[in-house]
Amino acid sequence: MSRSSLTLAYPLRIDAQTVQVIADGVLVRTKPSPLAPAQRGRLQGVRLASTSPAAPEAFPRVERVVSSNGSLKVAGCKIQVGQTHRGKVVTVVLEQTQLRVLFKGELLSVHPRTIVKEVNRLRASGHIDYEI
């Protein structure tokens, strides 16, 4: 497939750390950005996006331990963050429409919040941080 015939069905938001797929104005998926700053500057047919809003402190934050298969569950939503983070204690910011996963203050991923449930547990307990 030639590069000129490649078209995207959904708009992408590419910033320094993440690539976000947006469909109908709703965040569908977030992945780590594989592009270096110089590569982002050479993309054709793009327009600058507004700055990404920081997570307000008003949203509740919970801690979870990433399981051995790289997933965790919070507020009824199962989130896959990757096996490279297994055993780590991550912080999940519970926003109204999305869940932000942070590790030591660094954004790992953003997931759409598909289920709205009350959170019963705020802190991870009995965790093992392997620091892999």
Side-chain angles (χ1 to χ4, degrees):
M1 178 183 301
S2 70
R3 207 177 260 201
S4 61
S5 67
L6 180 65
T7 58
L8 295 174
Y10 301 105
L12 297 176
R13 178 186 171 87
I14 302 171
D15 61 20
Q17 298 172 343
T18 59
V19 175
Q20 299 174 336
V21 181
I22 302 167
D24 299 324
V26 177
L27 178 67
V28 177
R29 185 75 173 149
T30 302
K31 295 294 243 176
S33 179
L35 301 173
Q39 292 173 316
R40 286 194 322 267
R42 291 191 307 230
L43 293 175
Q44 295 181 5
V46 298
R47 58 189 169 122
L48 293 175
S50 62
T51 59
S52 180
E57 294 299 320
F59 294 117
R61 293 172 174 244
V62 298
E63 291 181 352
R64 293 292 182 268
V65 178
V66 180
S67 69
S68 62
N69 64 0
S71 65
L72 57 100
K73 195 165 186 179
V74 62
C77 296
K78 187 173 182 182
I79 300 172
Q80 187 71 29
V81 293
Q83 288 187 351
T84 57
H85 303 291
R86 65 183 182 262
K88 294 180 181 176
V89 178
V90 295
T91 303
V92 182
V93 181
L94 302 165
E95 298 180 5
Q96 291 178 354
T97 59
Q98 62 188 9
L99 301 170
R100 292 181 182 265
V101 183
L102 308 166
F103 178 66
K104 294 185 179 178
E106 180 181 331
L107 181 67
L108 294 179
S109 61
V110 179
H111 302 271
R113 188 170 183 177
T114 55
I115 300 171
V116 179
K117 278 187 163 180
E118 190 174 323
V119 177
N120 298 326
R121 214 171 28 115
L122 296 179
R123 301 221 181 259
S125 61
H127 70 275
I128 299 172
D129 192 356
Y130 295 108
E131 291 291 331
I132 296 175

